[in-house]
Amino acid sequence: MPVDYSKWDALELSDDSDIEVHPNVDKRSFIRAKQNQIHMERQQRKLQIETLKYERQVNDGLMKRISSLLNALKSHAADAEARNPAEVAFQAVMESVGSPEEDKPPARPEGVHAQEEQPPSYTKMMATLLDQVNKELDSKKPENRYNAMVEEIGVHLKKIQDLQQDLLKKLAELEKEESRKITSESIHTGFNSSHISKSTPSTSGSKKADDTKVELLNPNFSMSKPEESKASTTGEDDDDDKEIVASPDAKKFAQIKPTDYRESHAFIGSHPHILSEKETDGLLIMAFDAQLEGKDDFARQCVHQALLLQYCRALGKDGVALFFKRITTKGHQAQDVFYKDVQDTYYRIKNRAAEINAQREAEGGSGEGVEQIQLHAVEPGTEIKIKIPPETSEDEAERRGREIFNGFTPDMRKALESGSLDKVNEVLGKMKVEDAEEVVGLLSEAGILSVEEQIIDATTEEGQKHLKEMEEQAALESYADDPE
């Protein structure tokens, strides 16, 4: 049977390796700003969804009362012909008033219309509506005021119904956009039930019968109202402003072998704070990084430990004990559910890592697309010159610079002695970003690098071409500063 992987097309991975930014822009800051923008848009969209749902809920209550008033007015239409229309209308209004318990609108969710006062009661809303209707009738002065009032109230009801349709349309668009990407918040537990067979007590003259029953791993889980079951789980605040990195304790937890459930259980018991969504995400990122480096076994181990934390957290207050009891019970169906989830998650990470490595290999393995530290002159018409401090000098700064130079690796010293900035960049490109940043700092401290004006020989063809490029670059920068 073929497996359909199309649902993973919407998986939103935090893959930042292919982002290219301007040399003058710090890549890490750019990525962090982009992440913050995505999280802010997601939070704003969630707040809009909650606001629209709340407004529709309040409008439903108001529509119910307006419809009740209209029905009461229409039922007394005949009485208005013989009696005082104002008295009949007042009687209809009193009949349409609901119970005091239902007069107050539902409580607002946190963050919805936080800057506004609490909405008035439905009775005040109806009183305001009737005041508007009476003002409109006073201005129109109809012959039959009673029938005109019924029509005017019907117009207001139609406006609210149209508003409800507009809110429903906007809500559907936002929910569709929210469900378009798969995030950690939309991942289901997948570890909620198992099927066992129990025999019924035998009775005289009857045969034993098997009774199939569903045993929930999480008794608090409700299929019809999953949001209620979430209330029993441990609440964790998602700090979107911080970079997702596993804590030192979580990294220790990742070192525990997947088969050693006794040690994992004991570690969680002594470090309960690792039962958080942030730690799960951090371990999954560790798995992704390990897979990029070809460490298949450790990547699978990180995925196993990450999902173990997620399942314990999702199973509620006693989730840790419940999980380890089910997973260590021989032949329990919970094992198949959990191991399948681990396998599927690992292969998604493995396939994505293979795609990234293949892309890097196709780019020639020159480090293109990978974060590097490279030296370039920023200002047009300038260039970076390399000046090595002399071996013997009475100047204290030059002696210090020579000591720093002698402390560099042979490859770096050879590149600096060549005087070629390209060769220096080639050596820097092979280093880790942290090491390269340290070397650049030492080069600056030793006074080996200096920015000088570039001398261009405009009498040669190459010099004229270089001069023309500089003029075009200066024109572009001038336009960027003042596009008008």
Side-chain angles (χ1 to χ4, degrees):
M1 178 179 178
V3 182
D4 181 16
Y5 292 101
S6 60
K7 64 180 180 179
W8 300 114
D9 293 341
L11 185 63
E12 190 172 27
L13 293 175
S14 181
D15 176 22
D16 307 319
S17 62
D18 57 348
I19 293 180
E20 296 182 2
V21 298
H22 192 274
N24 292 345
V25 178
D26 180 59
K27 183 175 181 180
R28 292 181 179 178
S29 300
F30 179 83
I31 292 173
R32 191 175 295 109
K34 194 67 177 176
Q35 289 175 339
N36 290 340
Q37 179 184 355
I38 293 174
H39 290 312
M40 288 179 63
E41 290 176 354
R42 188 184 303 165
Q43 292 299 327
Q44 185 178 7
R45 186 164 56 246
K46 288 181 180 180
L47 181 59
Q48 290 177 343
I49 291 175
E50 290 296 328
T51 302
L52 292 177
K53 287 181 178 179
Y54 176 72
E55 290 178 354
R56 280 182 51 80
Q57 191 176 3
V58 174
N59 290 342
D60 284 338
L62 183 59
M63 286 171 53
K64 178 181 177 181
R65 284 156 179 76
I66 296 176
S67 299
S68 177
L69 175 59
L70 276 177
N71 293 333
L73 289 172
K74 291 177 181 178
S75 64
H76 292 288
D79 297 340
E81 299 292 337
R83 297 168 51 193
N84 186 343
E87 294 180 358
V88 176
F90 179 77
Q91 181 182 353
V93 170
M94 296 304 298
E95 290 178 0
S96 64
V97 174
S99 61
E101 294 80 10
E102 299 178 354
D103 191 41
K104 189 176 181 180
R108 290 186 308 202
E110 184 178 357
V112 174
H113 298 313
Q115 305 300 327
E116 300 178 7
E117 297 181 356
Q118 287 289 343
S121 63
Y122 286 116
T123 300
K124 291 184 178 180
M125 294 183 191
M126 292 298 295
T128 303
L129 173 65
L130 291 175
D131 288 342
Q132 294 177 0
V133 171
N134 286 326
K135 289 180 180 179
E136 292 170 358
L137 294 178
D138 291 340
S139 61
K140 294 180 181 179
K141 297 181 180 180
E143 295 182 0
N144 191 329
R145 188 180 179 89
Y146 190 88
N147 292 337
M149 180 174 62
V150 174
E151 293 178 1
E152 196 65 37
I153 294 176
V155 171
H156 283 271
L157 178 61
K158 182 64 168 56
K159 290 180 180 179
I160 299 178
Q161 290 173 343
D162 293 340
L163 176 61
Q164 287 290 79
Q165 291 297 323
D166 294 340
L167 294 178
L168 181 62
K169 184 178 179 181
K170 293 179 182 178
L171 182 61
E173 293 175 354
L174 290 174
E175 289 180 338
K176 181 179 179 181
E177 177 66 20
E178 181 70 12
S179 62
R180 189 173 64 87
K181 289 292 184 181
I182 301 175
T183 63
S184 59
E185 297 177 359
S186 59
I187 297 178
H188 63 82
T189 63
F191 196 76
N192 50 21
S193 66
S194 63
H195 298 271
I196 61 174
S197 298
K198 292 184 178 180
S199 59
T200 57
S202 58
T203 57
S204 58
S206 63
K207 296 182 179 180
K208 294 182 179 181
D210 292 335
D211 181 22
T212 302
K213 181 182 178 182
V214 177
E215 179 185 5
L216 293 180
L217 284 172
N218 184 3
N220 297 324
F221 184 80
S222 171
M223 294 298 292
S224 59
K225 296 181 179 180
E227 65 275 2
E228 293 181 358
S229 64
K230 290 182 180 180
S232 63
T233 61
T234 304
E236 297 291 343
D237 294 332
D238 185 14
D239 190 0
D240 294 334
D241 295 333
K242 295 184 179 179
E243 198 171 348
I244 299 177
V245 179
S247 67
D249 287 337
K251 292 178 180 178
K252 293 179 182 178
F253 183 71
Q255 301 297 329
I256 301 176
K257 297 298 181 183
T259 55
D260 196 349
Y261 287 111
R262 183 185 299 274
E263 185 177 352
S264 294
H265 193 179
F267 192 91
I268 293 176
S270 58
H271 304 82
H273 59 274
I274 66 173
L275 288 172
S276 67
E277 183 179 355
K278 177 179 179 294
E279 301 293 10
T280 298
D281 293 342
L283 291 181
L284 289 176
I285 291 175
M286 285 180 59
F288 191 82
D289 293 339
Q291 190 63 42
L292 286 174
E293 297 174 2
K295 301 176 182 177
D296 296 11
D297 293 339
F298 184 65
R300 189 192 300 270
Q301 182 171 309
C302 289
V303 171
H304 179 279
Q305 298 300 86
L307 294 186
L308 188 153
L309 294 179
Q310 176 182 314
Y311 277 50
C312 289
R313 189 174 65 252
L315 289 174
K317 182 179 180 182
D318 301 325
V320 175
L322 186 61
F323 172 83
F324 284 101
K325 180 180 179 181
R326 295 289 187 265
I327 204 68
T328 55
T329 301
K330 188 176 181 180
H332 202 287
Q333 281 189 339
Q335 297 174 351
D336 296 335
V337 175
F338 178 70
Y339 294 148
K340 183 179 183 301
D341 198 1
V342 172
Q343 191 78 351
D344 292 346
T345 303
Y346 169 70
Y347 276 114
R348 290 196 299 273
I349 292 176
K350 181 178 180 180
N351 293 336
R352 181 56 182 149
E355 292 175 1
I356 293 176
N357 285 332
Q359 182 180 358
R360 292 177 178 176
E361 186 177 351
E363 291 171 351
S366 61
E368 184 178 354
V370 182
E371 187 175 3
Q372 294 180 340
I373 299 297
Q374 299 283 276
L375 300 174
H376 298 284
V378 178
E379 294 294 332
T382 62
E383 60 181 347
I384 297 178
K385 291 289 187 179
I386 300 174
K387 180 182 178 182
I388 301 176
E391 294 184 9
T392 57
S393 176
E394 296 180 357
D395 186 75
E396 182 65 26
E398 290 184 348
R399 287 204 302 268
R400 170 58 182 161
R402 187 67 190 189
E403 290 177 3
I404 294 175
F405 173 80
N406 292 333
F408 290 139
T409 61
D411 290 341
M412 177 55 74
R413 289 201 302 268
K414 185 177 179 181
L416 291 171
E417 289 172 348
S418 69
S420 172
L421 189 63
D422 292 336
K423 291 184 179 181
V424 174
N425 282 331
E426 184 178 347
V427 177
L428 290 173
K430 297 176 182 179
M431 296 181 178
K432 293 182 179 180
V433 174
E434 295 80 4
D435 296 339
E437 288 177 343
E438 183 180 356
V439 170
V440 172
L442 291 174
L443 289 172
S444 177
E445 181 182 348
I448 296 176
L449 302 180
S450 61
V451 179
E452 301 177 3
E453 291 188 5
Q454 187 177 13
I455 301 176
I456 301 175
D457 186 1
T459 61
T460 63
E461 183 178 350
E462 183 179 356
Q464 292 176 357
K465 181 180 179 181
H466 196 177
L467 183 62
K468 184 178 180 181
E469 292 176 354
M470 289 174 53
E471 292 175 348
E472 292 176 353
Q473 178 67 22
L476 288 174
E477 293 179 356
S478 176
Y479 177 79
D481 294 336
D482 186 9
E484 298 182 357

